[in-house]
């Protein structure tokens, strides 16, 4: 190797280089090039993660991370800082490794065609007033924010990739037009490297494809974001480009000739701001114009590749034209040129669509033959490499005379913040402090409104009890509905604060930095850095966290991640922690809360180490992830996210928890001891005295008759019999039959654990007393406390680990493609929870002696 050449991994922080060539595997090489790692491009080493791996690089004026092992496969030529000349405008110069003629060849050669009436490009005069519009864009382009602003939908918006993992639908009206909006997952290209990209590709080429595409791009970094635009050009579906984050563009020292750029790329451009709604009406006016074929800026424009690439495309295109009648209707509606380019790129989605038609299946072999024999053997180049180069050349050529920007003014703020938050020494302590502060705030700030709601629920139960006459209906309302649902409602403030903190962490862009500093640790346990984001999302709710594992390309890493997500303590378990921590650890509730979450993380790590041998996750998966710019989250976005999650909690109380509370009350009410005649009551009381110890019998005899009947009712009822049947399973844990029953009912949803305890412990004390007070005072007949700190902590640990809720188990089965993984998750978590809960009780009592 030339002495002036070296590998990217050998560069030090602050050094720059020119990319020369890739030695990565073909699929990952294509992904890197789509993200801007193209030969001739300048790259800067920004910094190492606190554990030295991965490394943050800046290319095409955005920040992206790579592991050292992947950077070692990229050959570069170092640049001397004093000798380099930095580009002030995107596309301003030829690439370093191309001569002037080659630069012109790869530049923005445009081919205009007339309206051909095929696919999505035909004339549309007289079309209906209902328009199907798909939102497509890179992660962190503000696509979902713009979608929400336009439609009023309440999809979660986070400042990191992978938030939207499936299509979202909404409706928008403007004038006489109704728009059916589809928010597609964020992706870097319309290819099939990742699950979300394959989803987009299939949607845009399927039977139900949109009438118009809104391509959302970051106006502060057009050079990279317009790469996807060049792919959308080839689909022949009309495209309107939303120049989002226009406020940041205007605030920087940048300028853009919108009309000039629109003319060059053949599609309308509209400045927008998804945070404020600026430009939304103009954007959809452009959609109407292009849909009705009235847009002056809409033309069919092709990216013109090098002469050799165009020759290869023509050969494959001619073969597709010959087989056109044999193709299904949705493929016939696509431009043959688009299909040809996709086959030459070895796009999996297009190959699968073609392979499904036996008579047309040899098109794949024909494209492979052209790629190898006609192109690679004659040119010595990789055609995928040259196609990607051609697209970036098109973008550079179009931006050369229309776009001027100084990226330093845009990125300087990020550099200063990153210097602190991802510091090699302070990065981890800051991360741990952020998580600890989140849990501490959840308890401390939520304590006051929690007490207000708790007193309100007790007052409501008392007032309803006074107003209603004695009977089954009164017992149902007071002891079933109010005690059950109200026992969970009191924790709503804590849930709200937790979601508020998570929303702020996500929307600021810190979540991606957390994945960056945690990748090395994740890699040690056989997981990918991208696994960290679903795991953190699991603190809110396990179900969307399991769904978000779709962004992990490697199937084995994806399976291990979704199997350990249930150990991330979701918000549904928080009411149990707050109840018992507040009752038995009042002075250290925040510390206990942090310890529980940390225990869940530790169990997840140990489980991942165990699973990685079975799933062979030692095979390294490339780690490439964009580090989005820091942004101040809008109050509206944060409150919207917080409300949507809190609304789900309230809806669950009005449905699942309400039904469960009524069912638990019914099981505890029937058969009813109070409805029996006095003779039968005396018989059951005498039988109970004979079955208990002498001390318990003596205490029982001294109780008032009503209290005796209440205690007898709990054991005589159906739920009492169930509880006593399963109580031996938890005898060594110290859990009484009511705690055992609450664990059983908590299988449906973890909030039901609290509502079950609220119903079952009602008869032991004054109805007005708080549930936490009832648990503190609850005793066995011999006067022994039912719960002490050791048992309370053991119970919380068991709730933390044991069986995920039904919704999470179903999600694991669906996302893994097999119910055996859902069943394994259930069995494994129960076993670990039982053993660890037992250990905590026994060790705790030894320490308390």
């Amino acid at each position: 190797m030339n002495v002036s050449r070296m590998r990217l991994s050998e560069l030090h922080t602050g050094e720059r280089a020119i990319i020369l060539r890739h030695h990565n595997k073909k699929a990952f090489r294509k992904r890197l090039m789509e993200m801007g790692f193209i030969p001739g491009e300048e790259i800067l080493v920004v910094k190492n993660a606190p554990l030295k791996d991965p490394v943050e690089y800046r290319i095409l004026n955005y920040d992206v991370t790579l592991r050292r092992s992947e950077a070692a496969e990229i050959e570069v030529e170092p640049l001397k800082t004093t000798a380099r000349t930095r580009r002030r405008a995107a596309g301003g110069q030829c690439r370093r490794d191309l001569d002037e003629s080659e630069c012109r060849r790869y530049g923005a050669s445009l081919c205009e065609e007339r309206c051909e009436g095929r696919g999505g490009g035909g004339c549309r005069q007289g079309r209906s007033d209902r328009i199907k519009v798909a939102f497509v864009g890179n992660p962190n382009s503000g696509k979902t924010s713009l979608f929400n602003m336009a439609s009023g939908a309440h999809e979660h918006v986070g400042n990191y990739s992978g938030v939207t993992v499936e299509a979202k639908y909404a409706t928008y009206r403007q004038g006489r037009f109704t728009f059916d909006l589809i928010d597609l997952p964020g992706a870097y290209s319309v290819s099939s490297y990742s699950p979300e990209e394959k989803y987009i590709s299939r949607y845009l080429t399927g039977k139900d494809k949109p009438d118009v595409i809104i391509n959302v791009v970051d106006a502060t970094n057009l050079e990279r974001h317009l790469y996807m635009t060049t792919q959308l050009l080839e689909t022949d579906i009309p495209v309107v480009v939303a120049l989002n984050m226009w406020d940041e563009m205007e605030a920087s020292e940048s300028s853009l000739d919108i009309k000039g750029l629109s003319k060059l790329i053949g599609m309308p451009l509209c400045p927008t701001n998804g945070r404020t709604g600026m430009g939304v009406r103009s954007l959809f006016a452009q959609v109407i114009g292009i849909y009705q074929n009235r847009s002056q800026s809409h033309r069919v424009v092709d990216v013109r590749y090098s002469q050799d690439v165009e020759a290869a495309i023509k050969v494959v295109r001619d073969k597709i034209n010959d087989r056109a009648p044999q193709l299904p209707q949705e493929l016939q509606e696509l431009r043959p040129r688009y299909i040809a380019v996709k086959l030459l790129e070895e796009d999996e989605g297009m190959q699968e669509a073609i392979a499904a038609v036996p008579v047309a299946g040899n098109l794949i072999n024909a494209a492979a033959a052209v790629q190898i024999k006609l192109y690679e053997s004659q040119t010595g180049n990789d055609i995928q490499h040259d196609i990607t180069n051609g697209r970036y050349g098109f973008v550079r050529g179009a931006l050369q005379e229309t776009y001027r920007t100084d990226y330093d003014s845009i990125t300087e703020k990020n550099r200063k913040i990153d210097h602190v938050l991802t510091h090699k020494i302070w990065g981890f302590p800051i991360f741990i402090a952020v998580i600890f502060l989140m849990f501490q705030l959840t308890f401390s700030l939520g304590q006051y409104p929690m007490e207000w709601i708790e007193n309100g629920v007790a007052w409501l139960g008392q007032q309803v009890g006074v107003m209603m006459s004695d009977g089954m209906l009164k017992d149902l309302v007071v002891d079933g509905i109010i005690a059950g649902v109200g026992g969970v409602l009191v924790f709503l403030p804590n849930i709200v604060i937790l979601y508020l903190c998570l929303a702020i962490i996500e929307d600021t862009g810190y979540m991606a930095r957390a994945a960056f500093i945690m990748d090395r640790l994740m890699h040690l346990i056989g997981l990918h850095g991208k696994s960290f984001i679903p795991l953190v999302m699991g603190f809110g709710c396990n179900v969307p966290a399991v769904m978000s594992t779709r962004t992990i390309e490697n199937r084995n890493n994806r399976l291990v991640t979704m199997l350990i997500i249930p150990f991330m303590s979701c918000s549904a378990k928080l009411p149990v922690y707050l109840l018992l921590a507040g009752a038995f650890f009042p002075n250290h509730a925040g510390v206990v809360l942090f310890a529980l979450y940390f225990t869940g993380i530790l169990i997840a790590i140990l489980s991942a180490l165990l699973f990685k041998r079975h799933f062979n996750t030692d095979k390294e998966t490339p780690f490439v992830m964009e580090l989005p710019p820091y942004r101040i989250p809008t109050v509206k976005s944060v409150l919207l996210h917080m409300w949507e999650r809190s609304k789900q909690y309230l809806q669950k109380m009005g449905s699942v928890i309400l039904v469960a509370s009524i069912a638990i009350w019914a099981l505890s009410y029937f058969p009813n001891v109070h409805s029996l005649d006095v003779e039968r009551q005396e018989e059951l009381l005498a039988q109970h005295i004979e079955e208990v110890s002498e001390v318990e019998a003596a205490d029982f005899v001294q109780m008032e008759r009503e209290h005796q009947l209440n205690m007898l009712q709990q054991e005589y009822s159906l739920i009492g019999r169930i509880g006593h049947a399963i109580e031996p399973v938890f005898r060594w844990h110290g859990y009484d039959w009511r705690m055992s029953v609450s664990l059983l009912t908590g299988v449906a949803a973890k909030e039901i654990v609290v509502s079950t305890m609220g119903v079952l412990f009602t008869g032991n004390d004054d109805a007005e007393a708080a549930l936490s007070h009832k648990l503190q005072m609850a005793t066995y007949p011999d006067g022994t406390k039912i719960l002490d700190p050791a048992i309370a902590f053991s119970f919380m640990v068991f709730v933390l680990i044991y069986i995920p809720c039904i919704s999470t188990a179903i999600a694991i089965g669906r996302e893994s493609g097999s119910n055996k993984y859902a069943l394994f998750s259930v069995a494994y978590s129960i076993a670990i929870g039982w053993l660890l809960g037992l250990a905590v009780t026994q060790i705790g009592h030894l320490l308390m002696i």
Side-chain angles (χ1 to χ4, degrees), residues 171-402:
T171 303
Y172 171 70
R173 292 186 62 85
Q174 184 166 305
R176 63 184 177 87
F177 290 91
T178 300
F179 301 88
D180 296 316
L181 307 181
I182 305 99
D183 180 24
L184 295 173
Y188 291 103
S189 72
V190 186
S191 62
S192 297
Y193 179 79
S194 63
E196 61 268 23
E197 291 176 355
K198 184 176 290 187
Y199 183 95
I200 294 172
S201 181
R202 287 176 176 173
Y203 178 79
L204 295 181
T205 58
K207 296 179 180 179
D208 199 32
K209 62 184 179 182
D211 299 312
V212 180
I213 296 172
I214 292 181
N215 179 208
V216 184
V217 302
D218 183 350
T220 65
N221 197 345
L222 289 178
E223 185 171 3
R224 181 175 64 83
H225 282 252
L226 286 180
Y227 178 85
M228 176 182 276
T229 309
T230 64
Q231 294 179 304
L232 297 176
L233 276 172
E234 296 169 339
T235 67
D236 206 26
I237 301 174
V239 179
V240 177
V241 177
L243 300 169
N244 206 28
M245 304 179 189
W246 189 254
D247 57 329
E248 296 183 20
M249 166 78 173
E250 290 182 318
S252 64
E253 298 177 7
S254 307
S255 64
L256 176 65
D257 178 1
I258 296 178
K259 290 184 178 180
L261 181 59
S262 178
K263 183 178 180 180
L264 286 172
I265 66 176
M267 58 182 65
L269 283 77
C270 183
T272 60
N273 187 342
R275 290 149 57 96
T276 64
M278 184 274 289
V280 170
R281 293 190 64 82
S282 298
L283 177 66
F284 281 93
Q286 297 273 27
V287 170
I288 295 170
I290 202 172
Y291 175 72
Q292 295 185 324
N293 204 31
R294 292 187 291 102
S295 175
Q296 296 180 353
S297 55
H298 176 221
R299 300 168 300 149
V300 178
V301 175
D302 282 334
V303 177
R304 283 301 176 186
Y305 302 102
S306 68
Q307 185 176 350
D308 294 325
V309 173
E310 288 293 338
I313 293 174
K314 183 178 185 303
V315 172
V316 179
R317 185 186 62 194
D318 291 343
K319 292 182 181 296
I320 293 170
N321 283 327
D322 294 340
R323 304 255 191 319
Q326 301 169 345
L327 298 176
Q329 184 64 32
E330 58 267 24
L331 290 180
Q332 290 185 33
E333 293 179 355
L334 297 176
R335 299 180 67 201
R337 178 183 174 87
Y338 174 74
I339 299 176
V341 172
K342 283 293 183 183
L343 290 178
L344 289 171
E345 288 185 300
E346 299 180 1
D347 183 85
E348 289 183 12
M350 185 58 70
Q351 288 179 336
E352 291 173 2
I354 296 292
V357 187
V359 291
N362 59 357
L363 286 174
I364 300 173
N365 296 329
V370 169
Q371 178 182 347
I372 296 172
K373 295 180 181 179
L374 180 63
Y375 193 86
E376 294 184 1
S377 62
Q378 294 182 9
T379 67
N381 295 333
D382 181 354
I383 194 169
Q384 294 184 19
H385 169 282
D386 288 348
I387 288 174
T388 304
N389 248 352
R391 287 175 179 149
Y392 270 111
F394 175 91
V395 172
R396 283 207 178 113
L399 293 176
Q400 184 172 3
E401 300 300 328
T402 60

Side-chain angles (χ1 to χ4, degrees), residues 723 725-737 739-744 780 791 794-795 798 802 830 833-835 837-838 841-842:
I726 65 174
E727 188 177 17
V729 177
F730 301 104
R731 179 172 294 134
W732 291 99
H733 295 68
Y735 309 160
D736 84 325
W737 67 270
M739 299 169 68
S740 302
V741 168
S742 66
L743 291 174
L744 184 63
Y780 291 106
I791 295 175
S794 169
F795 190 78
F798 192 90
Y802 93 111
I830 289 176
W834 191 91
L835 291 172
L838 176 63
T841 298
Q842 298 302 320

Side-chain angles (χ1 to χ4, degrees), residues 576-577 580-581 585 592 596 791-800:
V576 182
Y577 307 155
L580 296 177
F585 304 93
V592 170
L596 287 167
I791 295 175
F793 190 72
S794 169
F795 190 78
M796 288 187 281
V797 169
F798 192 90
V799 170
L800 162 70

Side-chain angles (χ1 to χ4, degrees), residues 292-553:
Q292 295 185 324
N293 204 31
R294 292 187 291 102
S295 175
Q296 296 180 353
S297 55
H298 176 221
R299 300 168 300 149
V300 178
V301 175
D302 282 334
V303 177
R304 283 301 176 186
Y305 302 102
S306 68
Q307 185 176 350
D308 294 325
V309 173
E310 288 293 338
I313 293 174
K314 183 178 185 303
V315 172
V316 179
R317 185 186 62 194
D318 291 343
K319 292 182 181 296
I320 293 170
N321 283 327
D322 294 340
R323 304 255 191 319
Q326 301 169 345
L327 298 176
Q329 184 64 32
E330 58 267 24
L331 290 180
Q332 290 185 33
E333 293 179 355
L334 297 176
R335 299 180 67 201
R337 178 183 174 87
Y338 174 74
I339 299 176
V341 172
K342 283 293 183 183
L343 290 178
L344 289 171
E345 288 185 300
E346 299 180 1
D347 183 85
E348 289 183 12
M350 185 58 70
Q351 288 179 336
E352 291 173 2
I354 296 292
V357 187
V359 291
N362 59 357
L363 286 174
I364 300 173
N365 296 329
V370 169
Q371 178 182 347
I372 296 172
K373 295 180 181 179
L374 180 63
Y375 193 86
E376 294 184 1
S377 62
Q378 294 182 9
T379 67
N381 295 333
D382 181 354
I383 194 169
Q384 294 184 19
H385 169 282
D386 288 348
I387 288 174
T388 304
N389 248 352
R391 287 175 179 149
Y392 270 111
F394 175 91
V395 172
R396 283 207 178 113
L399 293 176
Q400 184 172 3
E401 300 300 328
T402 60
Y403 191 46
R404 291 290 181 272
T405 186
D406 181 2
Y407 287 103
D408 287 341
S409 64
I410 299 174
T411 60
E412 184 61 29
K413 177 186 68 174
N414 289 317
R415 296 174 191 171
K416 292 179 179 178
I417 299 175
D418 261 342
H419 180 71
V420 177
L421 295 184
T422 60
H423 192 272
K424 62 181 180 180
I425 297 176
W426 305 113
F428 273 110
I430 290 174
F431 171 69
I432 295 172
V434 168
I435 300 300
F436 178 79
L437 181 63
M438 179 175 69
F439 297 139
Q440 190 69 28
L441 288 175
T442 298
F443 187 84
S444 58
L445 291 183
Q447 184 174 5
Y448 301 104
M450 184 177 70
E451 292 177 355
W452 303 336
I453 297 176
E454 193 174 64
N455 294 333
V457 170
W459 176 85
L460 179 62
Q462 183 181 24
Q463 295 301 311
V464 172
V466 172
M467 293 169 57
M468 298 182 69
S469 57
D470 292 340
M472 185 175 66
L473 181 60
K474 174 184 174 180
D475 294 338
L476 169 62
V477 174
V478 176
D479 299 334
I481 297 175
I482 296 179
V485 178
V488 180
L489 178 64
V490 297
F491 301 105
L492 178 62
N494 307 93
I495 301 296
V496 168
I497 294 171
L498 176 64
Y499 281 130
L500 174 65
C501 294
L502 284 174
I504 293 173
I505 290 173
E506 293 168 0
D507 290 359
T508 55
Y510 182 66
M511 187 74 81
R513 271 69 183 184
F516 170 63
I517 65 177
M518 289 294 293
D519 176 68
R520 182 67 181 273
L521 292 179
M522 302 298 289
H523 190 48
L524 291 176
I525 63 175
L527 290 180
H528 198 278
K530 287 185 178 179
S531 298
F532 183 74
I533 291 175
L535 292 176
V536 174
M537 289 178 66
F539 289 139
C541 180
N542 288 168
V543 175
V546 170
M547 293 172 62
S548 70
T549 58
R550 297 177 192 175
T551 60
I552 303 172
E553 292 84 4

